């Protein structure tokens, strides 16, 4: 293809992934706020769905980074991801991810440990059903760890808070949500990367 086609595709994929992240952030935050899981100080409630203005752009940026990272890691490891590579499967993965989030806000368990274990099983089930790659599992765990750490720092600094925190400053099931979110966005990124022109080499 023409020299600029690879960069053109990269920008297109980034914009799509950013948009996906923003939409998911708004939908998922609506589910959580309905159940009073997250509380934002009134002065930062500036947008629709009772979400702080910075949440959707942050989630959009994270989605773009994660979605571009997955196919990149696949090619670096020399393990092209071939499992269930069609848009219908990707859409089902998104639906399951939203379902897991809905469960975190709606299901009532005797304690948070039971809820966390259930969501961990559901998240691993999502990975096994729609991904099954070692790179997907490794990246999902890494994303869950880093995102949980960042969230802890934000809550510690009073940016927002969780009702009934049970894992330092947050809810113990949050890493499961980050893990399944990473796998979901990664699958979208991989699907978008199919048919992309080869990156031009200097030689």
């Amino acid at each position: 293809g023409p020299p600029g086609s690879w960069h053109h595709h990269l920008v297109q994929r980034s914009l799509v992934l950013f948009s996906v992240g923003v939409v998911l952030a708004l939908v998922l935050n609506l589910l959580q706020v309905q159940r009073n899981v997250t509380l934002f100080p009134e002065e930062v409630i500036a947008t629709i769905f009772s979400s702080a203005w910075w949440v959707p752009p942050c989630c959009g940026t994270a989605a773009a980074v994660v979605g571009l990272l997955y196919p990149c890691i696949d090619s670096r490891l020399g393990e092209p991801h071939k499992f269930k590579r069609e848009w219908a499967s990707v859409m089902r993965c998104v639906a399951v991810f939203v379902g897991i989030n809905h469960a975190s806000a709606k299901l009532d368990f005797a304690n948070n440990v039971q809820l966390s274990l259930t969501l961990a099983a559901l998240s691993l089930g999502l990975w096994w059903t729609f991904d099954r790659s070692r790179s997907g599992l490794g990246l999902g765990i890494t994303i869950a760890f880093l995102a949980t750490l960042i969230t802890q720092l934000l809550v510690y600094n009073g940016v927002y808070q969780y009702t009934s925190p049970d894992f330092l400053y947050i809810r113990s099931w949050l890493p499961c949500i980050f893990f399944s979110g990473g796998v979901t966005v990664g699958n979208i990124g991989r699907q978008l990367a199919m048919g992309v022109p080869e990156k031009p080499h200097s030689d």
Side-chain angles (χ1 to χ4, degrees):
S5 62
W6 185 81
H7 293 99
H8 180 66
H9 276 275
L10 190 68
V11 171
Q12 280 185 328
R13 283 157 55 205
S14 301
L15 289 173
V16 171
L17 287 162
F18 180 85
S19 303
V20 167
V22 169
V23 171
L24 282 175
L26 291 172
V27 171
L28 301 180
N29 193 63
L30 178 62
L31 292 176
Q32 300 288 354
V33 169
Q34 276 182 334
R35 186 61 187 266
N36 259 356
V37 172
T38 53
L39 296 174
F40 290 95
E42 284 187 15
E43 63 268 19
V44 296
I45 296 178
T47 59
I48 194 166
F49 298 147
S50 305
S51 172
W53 66 268
W54 49 267
V55 171
C58 285
C59 291
T61 304
V65 171
V66 171
L68 294 173
L69 197 58
Y70 264 73
C72 181
I73 295 292
D74 289 340
S75 63
R76 290 275 180 209
L77 295 175
E79 293 180 3
H81 188 254
K82 301 258 199 286
F83 184 69
K84 290 192 177 179
R85 296 305 300 272
E86 70 273 342
W87 277 111
S89 176
V90 173
M91 291 301 105
R92 284 195 292 271
C93 184
V94 172
V96 172
F97 172 57
V98 173
I100 290 173
N101 273 272
H102 195 58
S104 74
K106 296 294 183 188
L107 291 182
D108 283 313
F109 282 83
N111 55 56
N112 274 325
V113 174
Q114 288 182 5
L115 176 59
S116 300
L117 290 174
T118 302
L119 291 176
L122 289 171
S123 299
L124 283 172
L126 178 139
W127 169 79
W128 180 254
T129 306
F130 298 105
D131 189 320
R132 293 196 193 178
S133 67
R134 288 180 299 171
S135 57
L137 182 64
L139 270 172
I141 291 170
T142 304
I143 290 161
F145 173 77
L146 291 175
T148 302
L149 185 65
I150 291 166
T151 307
Q152 293 277 19
L153 290 171
L154 288 173
V155 177
Y156 176 75
N157 287 302
V159 177
Y160 66 104
Q161 69 189 76
Y162 281 84
T163 55
S164 314
D166 64 310
F167 176 51
L168 297 180
Y169 305 103
I170 63 168
R171 303 294 281 272
S172 55
W173 42 258
L174 203 59
C176 306
I177 302 299
F178 288 137
F179 173 82
S180 54
V183 172
T184 301
V185 173
N187 273 343
I188 296 171
R190 282 167 165 165
Q191 196 66 25
L192 288 170
M194 288 183 75
V196 171
E198 285 293 311
K199 183 177 180 180
H201 295 286
S202 54
D203 55 352

